[in-house]
Amino acid sequence: MERTLSIIKPDATKRNLIGKIIAKFEENNLRVVAMKKIFLSREQAEKFYEVHKERPFYPTLVEFMISGPVVVQVLEGENAVAKNRAIMGATNPAVADKGTIRAEFAESVEANSVHGSDSLENAANEIKFFFSDIEIVG
Ligand code: ADP
Ligand code: MG
């Protein structure tokens, strides 16, 4: 069993896609064990995406992530980190596999509907960024 962090991004919350996206997780045996809808502060968005600070897209990525509410979730299941990445599809929706969240819903390489942790170690850190232990209810 693993846990991973998922974020439903502002492009998706704005288009009322929360339920359709969560359905993809549940259909693939990932369980939502913690969830909240929040508005990221600029500081939180900057800190969360700090690894991309030097990338040319960092400023617009931060603006995008604070352009509307997001839904942050902890997903639990077998192989949750890799499984979630597979369900999400490639970063660029133009090349994402058919049936993935990004292929079906993403607007662009930036407004790509979901975030998912890319390793078990990052998952643990990203979960801590948003949730305390008592907010994760299994
Ligand atoms: P992923 O979310 O698939 O792990 P990255 O960690 O590489 O992708 O990038 C983080 C986020 O930054 C992406 O999900 C996307 O919103 C944005 N992003 C990545 N590459 C680009 C790009 N070339 N142009 C604009 N935004 C980008
Ligand atoms: Mg990433």
Side-chain angles (χ1 to χ4, degrees):
M1 279 299 194
E2 288 180 3
R3 285 177 174 172
T4 190
L5 185 88
S6 164
I7 305 178
I8 302 177
K9 294 182 178 181
D11 66 290
T13 62
K14 278 184 188 166
R15 286 177 292 143
N16 224 11
L17 293 170
I18 296 168
K20 283 189 173 141
I21 289 173
I22 292 174
K24 296 270 195 198
F25 301 141
E26 293 184 339
E27 282 160 11
N28 287 281
N29 296 319
L30 291 179
R31 177 173 291 273
V32 177
V33 295
M35 174 159 69
K36 53 193 171 190
K37 190 178 193 186
I38 57 174
F39 241 107
L40 294 178
S41 67
R42 180 176 299 275
E43 292 67 32
Q44 278 178 308
E46 284 173 352
K47 183 133 195 284
F48 186 78
Y49 278 121
E50 205 161 35
V51 290
H52 295 306
K53 208 172 185 159
E54 306 309 324
R55 309 285 287 279
F57 58 80
Y58 179 74
T60 62
L61 174 61
V62 169
E63 291 301 327
F64 164 61
M65 290 300 291
I66 63 174
S67 67
V70 298
V71 175
V72 290
Q73 302 148 100
V74 179
L75 304 178
E76 185 179 85
E78 220 168 281
N79 260 320
V81 172
K83 186 181 274 185
N84 182 38
R85 297 287 303 190
I87 297 165
M88 290 162 59
T91 309
N92 183 352
V95 300
D97 288 342
K98 200 166 173 267
T100 61
I101 291 169
R102 283 163 165 173
E104 280 191 27
F105 302 126
E107 293 183 319
S108 67
V109 66
E110 179 173 84
N112 60 3
S113 302
V114 278
H115 165 84
S117 310
D118 62 6
S119 69
L120 205 48
E121 188 190 351
N122 286 339
N125 290 330
E126 291 179 359
I127 289 168
K128 262 194 233 129
F129 189 89
F130 288 110
F131 294 97
S132 65
D133 286 347
I134 58 163
E135 291 177 300
I136 304 170
V137 294

